[in-house]
Amino acid sequence: MVHRLESALQAGERMEEMLLNVGPQHPSTHGVLRMLVRARGETIVDAEPVIGYLHRGTEKLAENLQYTQIIPYTDRLDYLASMLNNYAFCHTVETALGLEVPERAEYLRVIVMELQRVASHLLFVGAYLLDLGALSPFLYVFQERERIVQLFNRICGARLTYNYMRIGGVKADAPSGWLEDVRDFLPFMRERIEMYDRLITGNEIFLNRVRGIGVFDTKTALEYGISGINLRSTGFRWDLRKQQPYSLYDRFDFQIPVGQHGDCFDRYYLHLLEMRESLCIVEQALEQMPKDGPVIGKVPKMIRVPAGEYYTSIEGARGEIGFYIVADGKDKPYRMKIRKPSFVNLQLIPELLRGQSLSNLIAILGAVDIVLGEVDA
Amino acid sequence: MSESKPENQLDKKESASKSHEAEVEANPLADDLVGELVRRFGESYVIKSGMVGGVPSIQVDAQQFVTVHAYLKQHPNWQLNYQSCYTGVDYGEELEVVSYVRSSSLLHMVCLKTRVSKESPRLPTLTTVHPGANWEEREMFDLLGIEFAGHPDLRRIMLWEGYAGHPLRKDFVEPQEESYGPST
């Protein structure tokens, strides 16, 4: 008996399969995600994400809310990029109504959206490094994120759930000195990105954890409807800001960085590169912005969207955020569907994990960059 | 109230699509799409066509829904290889399944639709053409009660097993406070 076990151990054999449960209360699942992992020894045979722990039925709630009342609910989807959700919803309703948004409002929107993208990507860098066992970057990124959050707090009075956008414009103009402070923030942020680049990108321990891990190609990504950095990491240049320009994005000169290998390292590095491009956009927006003017267009008091179906999407921090609205001419949508990039991207996880070592689970899951508020809606 | 609302909606939908019919002429993409499918599959294939929110849209029979997706995915003039939005809507008597597919190379987007009756809401799965449709179909199964034949893993995704009803249906009645929670 002992002999048989010993020889099996020596041959490196472990025949029985283990069913491991990760989450839903686990810091590296980025919220309330539960993962069921079937492992043979240390090799993952199969994995299954279990979601729904944060399901609030936003789509159902929206059917009983007036269009303006829905905006704060969108804050709570991807709570790390609320401004982008706000915009995605307002953009759909504005398209449906054919509303013209004043230029100053649109520039303010672009500035807050790109700052939001920087804040969201920053948190990704921090949280991802934390997942991989490096605690300090997580504390570092909160310093810069705090500057952005302070800026947002001054312009809209909230630190997380901004509710800043309105259908036809924004809630309020920038307070005095705000735009100057945004301008001051840019060189500071650029310097910090350089610092992260020096600190993290060349780190051998980090590279060994992320290089060649969680690889997928463009064909798989497109078939699975993957969007955002996950799609671009495969080398496919796809960014709705360029491919299907909305807002004022055709007025700015910026690059769409793409990866080469489609691995976790590319996904990490693209976050750094995109932050630089976002700062570029903010800089140009500050220069082009009209000195004054209204920040909200001529919008009727009660917004009634004409009967029809509307779908528009924008490039969020995690991919394509879209709102599909079926309107029946009333002040509330008949049906609202949210195209949630995290939800779609998360589907790929089982494919990526099969055959991987258990220690790569967190590295792969972290790089896909999901926010459970959005996955569960 | 929940009875009258969908019917009301249906009327308005009819009139809305009628008003869109004039626009079809003006949009070459929509014309091409209908022409393409009629040439390939015959006149009876396209049940309804028009523009929805600036996007060319066609409605086909539920059994042909997958065929149309597969055909337009590989067709060199269409290459609709990327599914953007996939969802369902309750219109009272019928449930509509809506799929926005776009081409990653040609950059156009098309809306494909089909309808199933509420009594037997069944249609073949799209996961064979777009594997990413998997969870969206599970969500539709969960929240709208649409069954997808041939789906690899058709289970509830947002709500728990044993939950009564499908919340996104218009005739859904919110359960009383005490009946919340897993049934087992």
Side-chain angles (χ1 to χ4, degrees), chain B:
Chain B
M1 194 182 155
S2 59
E3 283 291 300
S4 65
K5 224 176 170 183
E7 276 169 27
N8 205 349
Q9 168 65 13
L10 262 181
D11 295 342
K12 280 190 177 143
K13 290 290 304 166
E14 292 301 318
S15 62
S17 60
K18 265 182 201 127
S19 68
H20 283 315
E21 265 163 31
E23 289 173 40
V24 179
E25 308 286 324
N27 191 294
L29 191 64
D31 263 357
D32 284 357
L33 181 66
V34 176
E36 179 71 55
L37 291 175
V38 167
R39 262 199 307 283
R40 175 69 179 76
F41 298 106
E43 199 75 46
S44 61
Y45 225 76
V46 179
I47 294 172
K48 208 157 78 180
S49 67
M51 298 289 286
V52 286
V55 179
S57 141
I58 52 162
Q59 189 189 328
V60 295
D61 185 70
Q63 293 310 314
Q64 262 71 55
F65 199 49
V66 179
T67 325
V68 170
H69 272 89
Y71 178 70
L72 293 175
K73 185 184 175 185
Q74 53 78 34
H75 195 285
N77 292 351
W78 293 97
Q79 298 179 30
L80 298 171
N81 58 344
Y82 185 87
Q83 193 173 36
S84 260
C85 181
Y86 186 29
T87 190
V89 188
D90 181 357
Y91 285 120
E93 298 291 299
E94 287 179 310
L95 299 167
E96 188 172 81
V97 176
V98 185
S99 162
Y100 280 88
V101 275
R102 63 167 101 217
S103 165
S104 65
S105 43
L106 306 173
L107 301 180
H108 54 219
M109 185 155 75
V110 159
C111 173
L112 303 173
K113 293 175 173 190
T114 189
R115 282 193 176 207
V116 286
S117 76
K118 220 170 195 173
E119 284 83 59
S120 66
R122 243 177 112 75
L123 73 157
T125 175
L126 251 187
T127 49
T128 47
V129 184
H130 297 287
N134 189 322
W135 280 18
E136 297 286 9
E137 285 185 354
R138 278 181 68 186
E139 196 182 52
M140 271 185 255
F141 171 74
D142 187 356
L143 304 178
L144 278 157
I146 303 173
E147 280 175 45
F148 292 90
H151 188 282
D153 184 24
L154 199 61
R155 287 179 293 132
R156 282 188 180 265
I157 189 164
M158 293 299 183
L159 304 167
W160 54 91
E161 294 298 326
Y163 187 89
H166 307 287
L168 282 179
R169 283 200 179 179
K170 292 288 174 185
D171 51 11
F172 174 76
V173 185
E174 214 174 311
Q176 295 299 305
E177 195 99 350
E178 59 265 29
S179 65
Y180 277 119
S183 56
T184 46

Side-chain angles (χ1 to χ4, degrees), chain A residues 176-324:
Chain A
S176 66
W178 191 83
L179 293 167
E180 286 70 32
D181 287 348
V182 172
R183 197 169 279 127
D184 290 344
F185 171 74
L186 300 177
F188 163 77
M189 190 60 221
R190 284 211 176 92
E191 210 173 278
R192 301 290 283 198
I193 297 172
E194 293 307 319
M195 186 192 74
Y196 289 123
D197 205 1
R198 283 200 306 276
L199 271 176
I200 304 164
T201 312
N203 185 312
E204 207 174 327
I205 305 168
F206 172 67
L207 286 179
N208 284 336
R209 286 295 308 272
V210 294
R211 270 243 168 102
I213 304 294
V215 181
F216 56 90
D217 58 6
T218 309
K219 190 175 168 286
T220 317
L222 289 173
E223 280 193 331
Y224 274 87
I226 306 295
S227 50
I229 282 183
N230 287 296
L231 176 55
R232 288 191 288 275
S233 73
T234 65
F236 191 68
R237 215 171 287 273
W238 180 268
D239 189 314
L240 293 176
R241 288 176 294 176
K242 284 270 192 207
Q243 254 71 29
Q244 180 199 286
Y246 53 90
S247 188
L248 303 170
Y249 282 105
D250 47 355
R251 297 189 191 179
F252 307 118
D253 177 26
F254 64 104
Q255 303 296 317
I256 304 299
V258 293
Q260 288 174 326
H261 311 291
D263 59 0
C264 290
F265 174 76
D266 279 0
R267 292 198 270 285
Y268 149 77
Y269 199 53
L270 285 181
H271 280 88
L272 281 193
L273 295 177
E274 283 201 358
M275 277 197 259
R276 289 190 187 133
E277 297 304 324
S278 289
L279 294 178
C280 245
I281 296 172
V282 174
E283 196 168 34
Q284 292 171 53
L286 285 170
E287 272 165 29
Q288 296 175 13
M289 195 170 167
K291 290 280 164 287
D292 44 22
V295 291
I296 189 147
K298 288 194 168 39
V299 186
K301 268 231 166 64
M302 181 65 82
I303 290 166
R304 288 177 213 278
V305 174
E309 294 160 49
Y310 311 92
Y311 175 72
T312 62
S313 52
I314 68 155
E315 187 70 31
R318 282 163 191 80
E320 178 181 347
I321 310 173
F323 277 83
Y324 169 70

